[in-house]
Amino acid sequence: MNRRLSVLAVCGALVLSACGGRDDSSASGSGGCDTGITDSTVKIGSSLPMSGAAAVYGAIARASDAYFDDINAAGGVKMGDGKTRKVEYKAMDDAYDPARTVSNTRSLVEEDGIFAMMNVLGTSPNLAISDYMQGEGIPNLFAMTGTDEFLDQEENWSMAFLPQYEFEAKVMADYVRENAPGAKVGILYQNDGFGKGMVDNFEAEFEGSDIEIVSTQAYEQSGGSADSQVVNLSSSGADVWLNYATGTFMTQSLKKANEIGWKPLTLVTSGTNHAKNIMQPAGAGAVDAVSFTWLKDVSDPSWSDDEGMKAWMEFAKKHSSDVEAADSTAANGYTTAQIMVAVLEGMEGCTREDMLESAQSLEGVAPDLFLPEVTVKTAEDYPFFTTQVQMMEFDGKTWQLTGDVLERG
C-alpha cells in the first residue's frame, strides 16, 4: 500500500563499544518498555555538524525538530501498540568530528536516556558509534551515509538513509561507461572512510574496462581547500571528474576547476549536490554537472503544483526562522522525520527491537519530497532506506531529471 505522509497525519577513545554487551532486562523500563519510551513520549537523539566546514548540515536537525513539533502539536504519533506518543528530539553538534560524535552519543544514551538515534551525519562518525549501537541494541536510523560497512553488522541496528555507496558507484560508473567510453577518470575525495570507500568501489567498477583512473586526489577536511588537488587532477589528463568532496569543499573545488579552465564531464556525489547551498554558489563550475537523486529539488519552481511540494512549502513558511524553503539539506531532515513517523506507527510494542523490526519492514512509504515513482522499501538483511534513484543534470539553477528510475538489483 502506498502511504502518503503529511505533517498532520567508551570503552575506546574514538570507537564506542559495548562494555559487556546488551542486557535487555536491565535496559527495560516500566511495563516491559525499553529506556527512552513511556506511554506518552519517545526520546530520539541526533549528532551532526552545526558548526565548522560542514555546518550547512545543521539544517537537517532544525527541519526534523520542527516537523516533530508539528506532530506533537497535533497530538503525537499513534503507534502500533495503540498508544499515542509525542516525540522528544534532541540534536547535538559534533562539527563533523567522530570523537565528538562518540561523546555526544554517550551523553544522549547514558544521560538523556534516548530510545534511538537518527540523522547522524557522515561515514566516519557513524562507524565510530556503530559497535556501541550494535552492542547496546539501540537503533541508529537514517544515518547520513551509504557506507558498505553497514553490511558487516551482526544485526542491522544502524540503517543508512543514503543509497549504499557500492550502489552509487555502479550508477555513476554505468553513466561514465555509457556517455564517455574510453574515458580517463580523476577522483577527488575526502581523506576519510567515505572517500576511501568510494575510490575502492570505483576501482572495482572500472577494473577490466576501457575506463582508466589516471589520478586520485585526497584532501583533508581540516585543510581549508582542495585547490591543489583540483590542479593536479587537471594536469593528469582526466576528461571525467568524479567529485566526491563534501560540504563547502564541493563548491570550492567546482569553482577552482572553472577558474583554471578545466572542463571535464563532472559527476558529483549524491550526498553533496544541494542546488541552493552547494551548486549555485559554484557558478559556472557547476553547470552541466551530473548526479542522481531520489528527492524533488525544493529550489526548482517546476515542482510548485506537486502536492508533496505544496506540503513542504507550507511547512517551510510556518517554520521560516529555522527552515528555508529552497534548502534541500533541510528537506532531508523533513523527509527522515516523516519516515521516522512511519516507523513509529508500525511499532507493535515499545522495545527497541520493535522499532528495528518496523524500520526493516517498510513497504511503499512515500514521503512528500520523494520523487513520484520512488518509495521506501526496506528489508531485514539490507540496512539502507533508499534503493531507487534517478539521474539528473545541473542547469546552473536547478537539477533537471534526465532518465528513468534506477533500482538496486
Side-chain angles (χ1 to χ4, degrees):
M1 180 177 66
N2 210 22
R3 286 188 284 171
R4 175 65 59 180
L5 304 176
S6 68
V7 168
L8 295 179
V10 174
C11 290
L14 181 60
V15 178
L16 281 172
S17 60
C19 303
R22 180 169 81 252
D23 181 348
D24 292 331
S25 61
S26 63
S28 296
S30 61
C33 295
D34 281 346
T35 299
I37 189 169
T38 69
D39 285 350
S40 59
T41 63
V42 56
K43 293 183 178 180
I44 308 294
S46 183
S47 178
L48 71 173
M50 302 179 195
S51 61
V56 63
Y57 296 107
I60 294 172
R62 293 192 296 274
S64 288
D65 193 28
Y67 187 84
F68 290 136
D69 281 348
D70 284 354
I71 289 293
N72 292 341
V77 182
K78 186 172 183 180
M79 296 173 57
D81 64 356
K83 294 182 172 62
T84 298
R85 296 178 174 90
K86 294 186 177 182
V87 179
E88 296 181 359
Y89 176 76
K90 181 178 180 179
M92 299 182 69
D93 179 20
D94 61 23
Y96 204 62
D97 176 357
R100 288 181 61 176
T101 311
V102 167
S103 177
N104 288 349
T105 301
R106 290 193 72 100
S107 176
L108 288 163
V109 171
E110 298 169 15
E111 297 177 23
D112 293 293
I114 62 163
F115 185 74
M117 290 282 282
M118 68 179 288
N119 290 345
V120 176
L121 187 127
T123 295
S124 293
N126 274 288
L127 292 179
I129 66 172
S130 179
D131 284 349
Y132 180 71
M133 308 309 281
Q134 173 84 25
E136 295 295 319
I138 300 173
N140 176 29
L141 305 184
F142 316 109
M144 295 294 172
T145 178
T147 179
D148 302 312
E149 292 185 60
F150 273 7
L151 294 172
D152 297 332
Q153 301 173 93
E154 291 182 13
E155 295 181 79
N156 291 327
W157 287 100
S158 290
M159 294 184 65
F161 178 60
L162 305 186
Q164 183 190 356
Y165 290 149
E166 185 180 66
F167 173 49
E168 170 158 352
K170 176 173 174 49
V171 169
M172 296 296 214
D174 284 347
Y175 186 91
V176 173
R177 282 188 282 260
E178 181 177 348
N179 293 276
K184 297 183 182 300
V185 173
I187 305 176
L188 177 67
Y189 67 98
Q190 186 162 290
N191 191 22
D192 63 3
F194 163 61
K196 293 174 183 177
M198 289 309 304
V199 171
D200 289 344
N201 283 332
F202 281 117
E203 288 176 344
E205 281 291 332
F206 293 133
E207 184 177 4
S209 74
D210 62 350
I211 308 295
E212 179 185 3
I213 298 176
V214 296
S215 180
T216 59
Q217 295 288 315
Y219 70 89
E220 300 295 334
Q221 198 269 341
S222 59
S225 83
D227 286 358
S228 63
Q229 289 86 345
V230 174
V231 171
N232 291 340
L233 288 169
S234 174
S235 301
S236 72
D239 50 22
V240 169
W241 180 16
L242 296 172
N243 190 340
Y244 276 73
T246 62
T248 58
F249 288 94
M250 176 64 76
T251 303
Q252 293 170 359
S253 62
L254 292 170
K255 281 185 174 180
K256 186 62 178 180
N258 184 64
E259 176 187 315
I260 63 178
W262 184 41
K263 299 187 180 300
L265 171 62
T266 301
L267 288 79
V268 304
T269 172
S270 66
T272 315
N273 62 18
H274 310 124
K276 181 176 176 60
N277 295 330
I278 301 293
M279 303 301 291
Q280 289 180 14
V287 175
D288 296 330
V290 174
S291 189
F292 69 73
T293 190
W294 55 99
L295 294 169
K296 300 161 190 170
D297 183 353
V298 294
S299 67
D300 184 354
S302 69
W303 287 105
S304 60
D305 291 332
D306 177 82
E307 291 303 315
M309 187 63 73
K310 288 179 181 178
W312 160 255
M313 296 300 290
E314 182 179 349
F315 169 83
K317 182 178 180 180
K318 178 179 180 181
H319 299 282
S320 58
S321 61
D322 294 313
V323 177
E324 186 176 351
D327 184 355
S328 55
T329 308
N332 277 278
Y334 174 83
T335 300
T336 56
Q338 287 196 319
I339 306 172
M340 176 59 89
V341 169
V343 171
L344 294 171
E345 289 174 338
M347 287 177 56
E348 296 182 358
C350 55
T351 69
R352 289 161 174 152
E353 287 85 354
D354 292 321
M355 171 174 272
L356 189 63
E357 182 178 352
S358 178
Q360 294 174 345
S361 57
L362 299 178
E363 178 76 35
V365 174
D368 289 334
L369 296 178
F370 262 40
L371 294 174
E373 298 179 39
V374 175
T375 62
V376 179
K377 181 180 180 180
T378 57
E380 182 179 357
D381 62 349
Y382 191 67
F384 300 89
F385 284 94
T386 303
T387 57
Q388 298 172 317
V389 300
Q390 281 186 266
M391 299 301 296
M392 58 185 183
E393 184 175 308
F394 194 68
D395 66 7
K397 292 185 178 180
T398 63
W399 287 103
Q400 302 297 321
L401 297 175
T402 60
D404 295 331
V405 172
L406 305 173
E407 187 165 359
R408 174 186 173 271

